[in-house]
């Protein structure tokens, strides 16, 4: 908060009880005083293509026999704009699917009707600091926060969710999340499946008590350290995991992993390769066939699904295939923590071809022109900024630091209009360093969770404000058993905002800081880790 604002707030407080208000009132517009901090009023000069009320509130959904489940959800109401831009998901706790085009202007009036503070973040979007949903901008129950920004991102699958510090995990878990789909001219020309052939698929895991109520962190400290795992998969905010599609048709499936900490090794049960056309913030240069795809928390992947040769009545199953996560939960602890252990094989989604149909979409050989950033443009090409993600004194840290609301360390300051390479390292840290005597296959068995005497876990690392390119993925310090079980599931192509950093992995990414100065976040998107403080600010100045 700047001095001016501090004074104004003090003044308002004083003013409401003291006599000063009488003297100064004509000179102080009350609305303006409040809105400067909270963005409570809209800008009359901003002409939105879409103006939406987005209310976070308590609700109930009848998922199962017996009691309805208490959830929190985003409810959207379109004030102005194309009605097709807002799609509601029936019988679900999930927020709307918003469809926008690059260049459009969006006004979102976020209304908090939750019994606690919240703020909305637009994951993957390039927006000014005050519209990024920083934890410092939380609003109370009954307050409104107005976002007004232009869509500057490429065509891709983005999403939105709350971002209050310490409460993101429970708020998302209770149901607060939605998808934001961006299209642009370059994508338009490709004539990809549209409308009812462009299907959002939000994957999450949940657990319930006997009364059908959501269970969260019911194993206490261990759930917080490792991340919460549910024991059943929800698709698009519902427990029935069957999607009914038309035979003879072609679909675009947009998968988002909106789980709190679970990640997936997605593959078709019959062994058919996945045809991947897009990732987080862009399409790929060309379609790519993969035996399976690793989908870390918060990551998105676009899949081309060709049902031309599949007769009506066929069922296809998308599974999470077995892998070694390189952590304790794979072994004995996993069995205790969840009956859907991380890394075990289970069904994610069944696609059933109940009706026949046909369409004529053709998979393009080339998708986008991928102008990958040239490493020589980076001002620190010889000496990348390094961020290590590790545990210290039973706390998840980034370079040994944890969350501070507005602080930045010297190594967290970058300059506007520069390009940088960052090296993200999942390391044991501590005195013994990587490959210490407990590294690799340690005494904990399966995957070896101890490295340098520290616990190691996969961390999905996310950077706000930018879309980056992956330059290099160094796996030489990884446990070969872990790496071999996941190695064909990564994409180092296209524009991304989140990467799954497996234990021992080092990834070099390159990005450009453009347009907006300010404080932005980078953090582990395992929401329990994030809430515990595995999140920091970086500053663009
Ligand atoms: Cu998905 Cu900091 O966000
Ligand atoms: Cu984000
Ligand atoms: Cu983490």
């Amino acid at each position: 908060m700047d001095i001016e604002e501090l004074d104004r707030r003090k003044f308002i407080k004083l003013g409401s009880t003291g006599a000063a208000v009488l003297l100064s009132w004509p000179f102080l517009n009350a609305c303006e005083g409040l809105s400067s901090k909270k963005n409570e009023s809209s800008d009359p000069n901003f002409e939105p293509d879409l103006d939406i009320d987005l209310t976070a509130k308590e609700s109930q959904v009848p998922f199962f026999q017996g009691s309805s489940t208490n959830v929190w959800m985003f409810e959207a109401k379109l004030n102005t704009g194309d009605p097709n831009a807002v799609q509601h998901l029936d019988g679900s706790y999930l927020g709307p699917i918003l469809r926008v085009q690059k260049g459009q202007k969006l006004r979102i009036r976020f209304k908090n009707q939750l019994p606690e503070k919240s703020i909305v973040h637009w994951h993957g979007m390039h927006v000014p600091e005050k519209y990024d949903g920083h934890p410092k901008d939380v609003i109370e129950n009954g307050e409104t926060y107005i976002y007004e920004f232009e869509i500057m991102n490429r065509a891709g699958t983005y999403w939105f969710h709350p971002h209050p510090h310490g409460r993101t995990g429970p708020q998302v878990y209770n149901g607060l999340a939605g998808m934001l789909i961006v299209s642009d001219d370059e994508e338009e020309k490709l004539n990809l499946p549209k409308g009812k052939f462009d299907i959002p698929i939000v994957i999450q895991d949940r657990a319930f008590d006997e009364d059908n109520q959501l269970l969260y962190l019911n194993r206490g400290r261990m759930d917080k350290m490792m991340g919460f795992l549910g024991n059943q998969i929800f698709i698009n905010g519902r427990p029935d995991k069957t999607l009914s599609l038309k035979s003879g048709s072609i679909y675009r499936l947009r998968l988002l992993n909106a789980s709190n900490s679970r990640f997936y090794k997605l593959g078709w049960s019959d062994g058919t390769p996945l045809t991947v056309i897009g990732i987080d913030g862009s399409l790929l240069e060309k379609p790519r066939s993969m035996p399976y795809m690793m989908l870390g928390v918060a990551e998105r992947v676009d899949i081309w699904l060709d049902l031309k040769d599949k007769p009506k009545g066929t069922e296809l199953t998308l599974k999470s295939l077995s892998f070694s996560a390189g952590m304790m939960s794979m072994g004995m602890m996993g069995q205790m923590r969840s009956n859907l252990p991380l890394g075990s094989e289970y069904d994610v989604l069944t696609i059933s071809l109940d009706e026949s149909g046909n369409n004529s979409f053709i998979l393009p050989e080339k998708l986008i022109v991928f102008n990958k950033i040239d490493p020589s443009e980076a001002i620190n090409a010889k000496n990348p900024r390094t961020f290590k993600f590790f545990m210290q004194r039973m706390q998840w840290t980034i370079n040994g630091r944890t969350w501070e609301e507005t602080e930045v360390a010297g190594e967290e300051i970058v300059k506007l209009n520069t390009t940088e390479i960052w090296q993200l390292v999942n390391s044991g840290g501590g005195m013994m360093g990587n490959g210490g005597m407990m590294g690799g296959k340690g005494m904990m068995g399966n995957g070896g969770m101890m490295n340098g005497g520290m616990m190691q876990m996969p961390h999905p690392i996310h950077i706000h404000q930018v879309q980056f390119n992956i330059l290099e993925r160094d796996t030489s310090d990884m446990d070969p058993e872990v790496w071999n079980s996941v190695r064909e599931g990564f994409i180092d192509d296209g524009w991304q905002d989140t990467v799954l950093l497996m234990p021992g992995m080092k990834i070099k990414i390159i990005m450009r800081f453009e347009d907006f100065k300010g404080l932005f976040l980078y953090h582990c998107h395992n929401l329990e880790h994030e809430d515990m403080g595995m999140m920091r600010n970086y500053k663009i100045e």
Side-chain angles (χ1 to χ4, degrees), residues 50-65:
L50 280 180
D51 184 321
I52 295 170
D53 283 354
L54 188 70
T55 306
K57 55 175 215 176
E58 297 171 288
S59 187
Q60 276 113 31
V61 190
F63 289 134
F64 310 108
Q65 291 280 313

Side-chain angles (χ1 to χ4, degrees), residues 458-460 524 526 529 534:
H459 301 293
C524 175
N526 174 320
H529 292 182
M534 200 179 204

Side-chain angles (χ1 to χ4, degrees), residues 121 123-124 462 464:
H121 166 60
H123 183 116
H462 169 49
H464 282 217

Side-chain angles (χ1 to χ4, degrees), residues 121 123 159 161 163 298 462 464 521 523 525 530:
H121 166 60
H123 183 116
W159 63 300
H161 60 78
H163 221 307
H462 169 49
H464 282 217
L521 304 168
H523 59 91
H525 217 293
E530 171 181 337

